[in-house]
Amino acid sequence: RDFNERCAQCSEVNWGLTDGGGFYCRSCHNVIERTREVVNTDFITNSRVQTISKGSKKQEKNEGGCEWYVCEGFQLVLKKQVEALEALGVHPQMKDEILCNFWRCYLQKSKQAYCKRPAAEAVKALSVCESSTDVDSDPERPSLLDLLSLSESEGDLQTDCSFASSVSKVSESTSVCSGSVDGSLYLMKNQKEKLRMTMPMTLSFCYMALLWMREPITLSEFLRFVVEGHIPYLNVFQHFPEKMKLCGLDLKIFCVESWPVYEEVFNKMHELAAFLDLPRFPDITESCFLHPDMLCMKYLMEANLPDELHNWTCRVVKKIGIGEVDFLTLTPGNKSTGRVKYDVLAAAVIVVVLKLLFLLDDHYEWLLSEFAEERNKNNTEGGPYFEFKRWYEVVKHSLDVKQKKLDEERAKYLWRCEKPLFYSINKKSKVLKRRQMVVNLQNQFGKLSGSVQRAEKPNPSSFQLSWSEENTDGSCFHGHSLKGVLQEKRGFLTPVNPDYWLCTVKLCNERLCGHLAHYREVEFPQTYHFVLGLFSFLLRIQPSCIHEEVCMIEHKLFNKKLYKKLKYNTVLRK
């Protein structure tokens, strides 16, 4: 009561004493070095006890656990994910300088940390802090936000006292079980207004940092690494410290029982960038891996298509201006610029080029293939002509094998985590013994049934389909020529095919129906569907997503002709 100095963190005079005689601020939980040196024994014997320490009871209640907040759990998840990305070769700067600052900015914007208390809640928070005993004032317990900090360059985290105090009040009054302090409050409806953190949003944070660093990892590749287990996401809570008890609503927050969805992670990333008021991202130039020319080269190699197609993809990119820096660079909050899906855009460009050269109407591509086959029989000089039919057979066989293996792995995936969860120290030995018994029974039944034991995780690779020109069976088409489908006209190579069919004549209103175009397999040629399915497998997205991007590129490529046709049809109707 005699100590009237203001707190260095929140500038308030609201001091309390710990069991060890140390001073701490009841408003912001800031602990100072000052201790109470002189104790008046007469005053203690003649006065009422104001506070009762509940340290032992709390320890008994939590059974060896410690108090922790949901944001601390998400920070641990982000820490594990960025460390896994560093192990894959991402620059260490992403953890300490980029993702750490994004996370701190989010905590400040959502008023969970690094901010002053709202004036309207100051009185309420103060009353809650005074009435509470030792719920939020254990200075001897280091904060998990300090222990698990993404960057150790700054000091302690200044938490929002009003948020923490209201959390304690709600958690004490509610009957819902939760290991975290604010688990029940976190799922309340009023928290949705602050862009509430979720497990898919951890992936959005990581992808946003990757995009800022311009790392050579696309979103589809990043999500594939997540599904393959190279980046912690599914059952990531099993890596939490043993003192962080998870139960009830915590499992609803951190337990994931579905594969990450491309669209959800992508949209949340843009919402986050706008919510954090981030500036314009670093420019995506021609030398950047995310540029369409670079990605087209990668996907042409993986799809086992001729190298000469890259010249045509570059021509299409330059023609419609989707390789410009302003088009590719993300500017948060700017609605005039589109949201670029770099990997989907590159795949759609390749599909458009294949339609330009081979038409993909279930008829013309087979005629060109027969012509190339006849020329290859009599061809003794130069590289072989590209046979679309032969390419289709080779790629389809490899794709079916990979797709079947992927489906089996997903069907056999065990959603239950390997590390058993127990919420009582007394039951720990019983749970571990039961888990060991289950593992032994599984191994015995596996030996009896002859099932193959799960092999170790293979090293991550950017290519899912690999083709070598050294193969003598002719299964690699990288060096094949496009002479059979091109002709020289006025000094330029042009397609022999003069026709082109559009996926849609008029794009839909994206604001009304949510899509620019709709894809129904029965309405399109099977060859076109096969090409979409190939890139759908490589990017692990729905074919409709690539189809929508194809429609957008076609309307940019044939904008003038479409405008004249629509204008002519309008005149005829009049």
Side-chain angles (χ1 to χ4, degrees):
R1 294 180 181 179
D2 299 332
F3 187 61
N4 297 323
E5 292 185 12
R6 293 185 178 274
C7 176
Q9 295 285 354
C10 63
S11 301
E12 292 195 11
V13 181
N14 186 22
W15 299 102
L17 286 176
T18 66
D19 296 338
F23 281 72
Y24 72 95
C25 179
R26 291 176 176 173
S27 300
C28 65
H29 308 283
N30 179 34
V31 182
I32 62 176
E33 297 180 357
R34 180 183 177 89
T35 58
R36 190 173 184 178
E37 299 177 355
V38 179
V39 179
N40 191 339
T41 56
D42 297 335
F43 173 76
I44 295 178
T45 56
N46 297 328
S47 62
R48 294 177 59 189
V49 178
Q50 300 292 332
T51 60
I52 300 176
S53 175
K54 291 188 177 181
S56 59
K57 293 184 178 180
K58 182 174 63 176
Q59 189 77 4
E60 181 180 354
K61 180 180 178 181
N62 293 338
E63 294 180 344
C66 62
E67 291 180 354
W68 61 281
Y69 292 87
V70 173
C71 62
E72 294 176 320
F74 280 119
Q75 179 161 310
L76 176 59
V77 173
L78 287 173
K79 181 175 181 288
K80 295 293 183 181
Q81 290 175 348
V82 73
E83 287 176 351
L85 287 171
E86 284 187 2
L88 295 178
V90 172
H91 198 283
Q93 182 185 4
M94 174 180 164
K95 174 184 176 182
D96 297 329
E97 299 183 19
I98 308 302
L99 185 59
C100 180
N101 290 331
F102 287 166
W103 178 242
R104 286 172 175 168
C105 184
Y106 171 78
L107 291 177
Q108 185 180 32
K109 290 283 185 179
S110 58
K111 297 184 178 180
Q112 298 183 56
Y114 301 105
C115 64
K116 294 182 179 180
R117 290 180 300 160
E121 297 183 11
V123 178
K124 175 184 176 183
L126 181 60
S127 62
V128 173
C129 288
E130 289 178 348
S131 60
S132 62
T133 55
D134 226 5
V135 176
D136 293 322
S137 58
D138 185 3
E140 297 180 359
R141 178 186 67 88
S143 172
L144 286 174
L145 283 166
D146 297 333
L147 293 176
L148 309 175
S149 177
L150 295 177
S151 175
E152 300 176 356
S153 58
E154 296 190 10
D156 296 339
L157 178 66
Q158 180 183 348
T159 55
D160 185 3
C161 178
S162 62
F163 177 78
S165 301
S166 59
V167 163
S168 300
K169 188 174 182 180
V170 173
S171 62
E172 289 175 2
S173 60
T174 183
S175 60
V176 181
C177 178
S178 175
S180 60
V181 177
D182 58 337
S184 56
L185 179 67
Y186 201 79
L187 295 177
M188 292 176 63
K189 293 182 179 180
N190 58 0
Q191 292 295 320
K192 294 182 178 180
E193 302 174 359
K194 300 179 181 179
L195 195 62
R196 187 178 62 191
M197 190 69 182
T198 60
M199 283 300 295
M201 277 180 61
T202 61
L203 303 180
S204 300
F205 263 103
C206 290
Y207 176 62
M208 187 166 60
L210 289 171
L211 183 58
W212 185 278
M213 293 288 295
R214 293 181 294 183
E215 289 287 342
I217 299 180
T218 61
L219 177 55
S220 58
E221 191 174 10
F222 170 64
L223 296 182
R224 179 166 60 86
F225 290 158
V226 170
V227 173
E228 292 176 355
H230 302 294
I231 299 174
Y233 178 71
L234 304 173
N235 296 325
V236 68
F237 55 83
Q238 66 181 343
H239 301 294
F240 281 16
E242 191 171 336
K243 289 187 176 182
M244 292 179 64
K245 303 296 181 182
L246 280 85
C247 64
L249 296 177
D250 298 329
L251 296 178
K252 186 176 181 180
I253 297 173
F254 293 100
C255 184
V256 180
E257 294 185 351
S258 62
W259 307 107
V261 181
Y262 186 102
E263 291 287 343
E264 181 181 2
V265 176
F266 180 80
N267 292 333
K268 281 296 181 182
M269 187 274 292
H270 283 271
E271 291 183 26
L272 268 174
F275 177 73
L276 301 180
D277 293 328
L278 296 180
R280 177 185 168 104
F281 277 51
D283 293 343
I284 305 296
T285 59
E286 293 183 358
S287 60
C288 181
F289 176 81
L290 298 177
H291 194 275
D293 292 343
M294 300 287 286
L295 287 177
C296 283
M297 185 184 303
K298 174 185 183 298
Y299 293 137
L300 285 173
M301 294 176 61
E302 194 166 8
N304 199 15
L305 289 166
D307 299 331
E308 294 182 13
L309 285 175
H310 187 248
N311 296 328
W312 287 88
T313 58
C314 293
R315 290 174 62 177
V316 171
V317 169
K318 185 176 180 180
K319 176 74 175 178
I320 62 180
I322 60 175
E324 301 295 330
V325 174
D326 292 336
F327 176 81
L328 296 173
T329 305
L330 174 61
T331 305
N334 189 355
K335 297 182 179 180
S336 60
T337 58
R339 298 180 175 184
V340 183
K341 303 172 183 175
Y342 303 98
D343 40 10
V344 181
L345 180 66
V349 170
I350 297 176
V351 175
V352 171
V353 169
L354 290 177
K355 288 181 65 179
L356 285 170
L357 300 182
F358 299 96
L359 199 58
L360 303 185
D361 64 345
D362 289 344
H363 178 69
Y364 187 75
E365 62 270 19
W366 308 124
L367 292 179
L368 291 177
S369 183
E370 292 177 0
F371 171 76
E373 185 179 0
E374 292 295 330
R375 296 292 295 268
N376 284 333
K377 292 179 180 178
N378 303 323
N379 183 23
T380 57
E381 299 180 358
Y385 284 30
F386 177 69
E387 298 181 31
F388 189 90
K389 182 179 180 180
R390 173 64 178 161
W391 170 83
Y392 171 83
E393 294 173 349
V394 171
V395 174
K396 187 176 186 306
H397 173 73
S398 179
L399 183 62
D400 291 342
V401 173
K402 292 286 185 179
Q403 185 67 54
K404 182 180 179 181
K405 182 180 178 181
L406 176 63
D407 294 340
E408 291 178 352
E409 290 178 353
R410 290 195 171 188
K412 295 178 180 179
Y413 184 80
L414 297 176
W415 292 100
R416 182 175 296 180
C417 63
E418 297 179 358
K419 180 181 178 181
L421 296 176
F422 46 87
Y423 310 114
S424 175
I425 298 297
N426 299 329
K427 297 181 179 180
K428 179 178 179 179
S429 58
K430 184 184 295 184
V431 173
L432 293 177
K433 184 178 180 180
R434 185 180 300 174
R435 178 61 181 172
Q436 186 62 38
M437 185 184 301
V438 172
V439 173
N440 293 337
L441 288 174
Q442 287 178 344
N443 293 335
Q444 292 178 10
F445 280 112
K447 293 178 180 179
L448 292 174
S449 60
S451 60
V452 182
Q453 296 291 332
R454 286 189 301 173
E456 295 183 359
K457 257 188 318 188
N459 295 328
S461 174
S462 297
F463 291 89
Q464 301 177 72
L465 302 175
S466 58
W467 315 92
S468 176
E469 297 183 7
E470 298 178 356
N471 294 343
T472 57
D473 56 356
S475 59
C476 182
F477 297 87
H478 292 161
H480 286 214
S481 174
L482 296 176
K483 293 180 180 179
V485 297
L486 299 177
Q487 61 181 357
E488 187 173 352
K489 189 176 182 180
R490 297 177 184 178
F492 296 96
L493 289 176
T494 60
V496 177
N497 167 40
D499 302 323
Y500 190 92
W501 59 273
L502 293 171
C503 294
T504 180
V505 178
K506 187 177 181 181
L507 296 177
C508 298
N509 190 334
E510 190 174 8
R511 293 183 179 180
L512 296 178
C513 63
H515 300 279
L516 292 174
H518 298 274
Y519 177 71
R520 299 179 182 86
E521 181 182 351
V522 294
E523 297 178 358
F524 294 93
Q526 288 299 313
T527 309
Y528 175 73
H529 176 69
F530 170 76
V531 174
L532 287 187
L534 170 61
F535 289 103
S536 172
F537 172 81
L538 296 179
L539 303 183
R540 303 292 176 88
I541 59 176
Q542 294 296 325
S544 57
C545 185
I546 305 176
H547 172 77
E548 186 176 346
E549 205 75 18
V550 169
C551 294
M552 184 273 294
I553 293 175
E554 289 178 344
H555 276 255
K556 287 188 175 183
L557 190 60
F558 302 103
N559 184 30
K560 294 182 179 179
K561 294 182 180 180
L562 282 173
Y563 177 76
K564 291 180 180 178
K565 184 176 181 180
L566 292 174
K567 186 176 181 180
Y568 176 73
N569 292 338
T570 305
V571 172
L572 289 179
R573 291 176 183 175
K574 292 181 179 180

